[in-house]
Amino acid sequence: MSTTLQYVRQGQAGPVFLFVHGFPLNHDQWQSQISEFAKTHRVIAPDLRGLGTTPLRPGQTKLTTEDHADELIALLDSLQIREPIIFAGLSMGGYIAWQMVRKYPERLRALILCNTRVVNDTSEQAAARFQLAEKTLQTRSPQAILDVMLPKLLPPVVNPAIVDAVKQMAHQATPEGLYANLHALATRPNVTSMLPGIQIPSLVISSEFDTISSPAEMGQWAATMPKAKFVSLPGVGHITSMEAPQLFNQVVRENAPW
Ligand code: MLT
């Protein structure tokens, strides 16, 4: 598969570190990590298909988390990166990590699973996502998504610059791209049964005020992964990489399984 995923790349030497963002975000959510880890790693941070500056493929209307994993492998292939990589995924980025583990385990050296889940949507949650997707297309705006998701993505008291950055990222995507990605979220599989078999060294990062992927839920599934270390960041909401960048980077430096 040829690739047209847009990405930023920084760092000249060291292992390859791939940062995969959540929904409805893009690589900007990793700005602090890109500059920090480029000191010691070759960092790649793509905009997933349909989000940020990466358009959908011609004729494409829906995506799955497996499609995203295939796209990331195509990107690595196009960059001639064959060595196993460190994969950091936040939320939807984590949902994609599970598909990388399922299809391409030999391409993974370590996993950093941030603020993510292993269960699929309930039928009510999936139905709400499909409704939101329709509304996004009809109104040609991410506003309905922001209305529903901002209170879940960010805690009530947060730096207004982060709220603005999240809104800006949502507005960079096209309505069609948002629609296709809501489909990916709503159709993602339950991967619970995979976890005890994952032999890839993993760091699982959760946070106290995350209402999408609570620390209790994340701690429970992390305990079923034979090679996972679990950390919960105090006083932080869902988008840990943006809300507490220094703490996030420190936790990765101190605990990352490389
Ligand atoms: C994300 O941050 O990627 C999404 O909030 C995930 C979700 O809604 O399940």
Side-chain angles (χ1 to χ4, degrees), residues 52-129:
T53 55
T54 300
L56 292 175
R57 290 178 180 275
Q60 194 168 39
T61 55
K62 291 174 185 165
L63 286 163
T64 63
T65 48
E66 180 177 350
D67 291 335
H68 281 307
D70 294 342
E71 291 276 8
L72 291 170
I73 289 295
L75 173 63
L76 294 174
D77 287 347
S78 77
L79 298 171
Q80 292 179 351
I81 294 169
R82 286 267 152 205
E83 71 193 69
I85 58 154
I86 303 158
F87 184 112
L90 187 138
S91 203
M92 184 169 81
Y95 305 159
I96 297 165
W98 304 128
Q99 297 309 308
M100 295 284 289
V101 171
R102 189 177 65 77
K103 278 187 94 169
Y104 307 107
E106 73 288 355
R107 307 293 290 262
L108 299 168
R109 164 191 179 125
L111 292 170
I112 304 182
L113 301 155
C114 319
N115 305 88
T116 196
R117 309 191 75 195
V118 297
V119 291
N120 52 330
D121 273 4
T122 62
S123 50
E124 292 78 19
Q125 284 169 331
R129 300 230 207 234

Side-chain angles (χ1 to χ4, degrees), residues 21-25 29 90-95 115-117 121 129 149 152-153 182 185-186 188 212-213 238-239:
H21 60 80
F23 176 89
L25 309 175
Q29 80 151 88
L90 187 138
S91 203
M92 184 169 81
Y95 305 159
N115 305 88
T116 196
R117 309 191 75 195
D121 273 4
R129 300 230 207 234
M149 292 196 70
K152 297 186 202 167
L153 293 174
L182 280 164
L185 291 172
R188 73 185 191 279
I212 295 177
S213 34
H238 183 65
I239 315 178

Side-chain angles (χ1 to χ4, degrees), residues 71-258:
E71 291 276 8
L72 291 170
I73 289 295
L75 173 63
L76 294 174
D77 287 347
S78 77
L79 298 171
Q80 292 179 351
I81 294 169
R82 286 267 152 205
E83 71 193 69
I85 58 154
I86 303 158
F87 184 112
L90 187 138
S91 203
M92 184 169 81
Y95 305 159
I96 297 165
W98 304 128
Q99 297 309 308
M100 295 284 289
V101 171
R102 189 177 65 77
K103 278 187 94 169
Y104 307 107
E106 73 288 355
R107 307 293 290 262
L108 299 168
R109 164 191 179 125
L111 292 170
I112 304 182
L113 301 155
C114 319
N115 305 88
T116 196
R117 309 191 75 195
V118 297
V119 291
N120 52 330
D121 273 4
T122 62
S123 50
E124 292 78 19
Q125 284 169 331
R129 300 230 207 234
F130 290 131
Q131 254 183 13
L132 203 51
E134 291 300 335
K135 196 161 176 190
T136 303
L137 269 194
Q138 277 159 19
T139 56
R140 307 216 51 76
S141 158
Q143 196 52 50
I145 292 173
L146 288 170
D147 289 345
V148 171
M149 292 196 70
L150 265 183
K152 297 186 202 167
L153 293 174
L154 298 170
V157 181
V158 68
N159 178 348
I162 295 181
V163 183
D164 286 348
V166 169
K167 288 183 182 166
Q168 207 178 343
M169 285 188 258
H171 278 274
Q172 274 166 3
T174 59
E176 286 79 9
L178 294 166
Y179 180 100
N181 277 283
L182 280 164
H183 186 271
L185 291 172
T187 59
R188 73 185 191 279
N190 186 325
V191 297
T192 308
S193 63
M194 256 173 56
L195 304 189
I198 297 179
Q199 292 301 328
I200 302 161
S202 305
L203 171 63
V204 178
I205 300 180
S206 72
S207 50
E208 185 180 0
F209 298 140
D210 187 348
T211 55
I212 295 177
S213 34
S214 73
E217 179 185 304
M218 289 187 66
Q220 247 171 23
W221 58 253
T224 71
M225 294 175 70
K227 297 204 173 153
K229 207 183 247 189
F230 174 76
V231 178
S232 182
L233 310 187
V236 187
H238 183 65
I239 315 178
T240 41
S241 64
M242 292 179 76
E243 272 185 60
Q246 270 86 32
L247 180 59
F248 182 100
N249 292 350
Q250 185 191 332
V251 163
V252 172
R253 286 248 179 245
E254 286 172 4
N255 297 283
W258 44 67

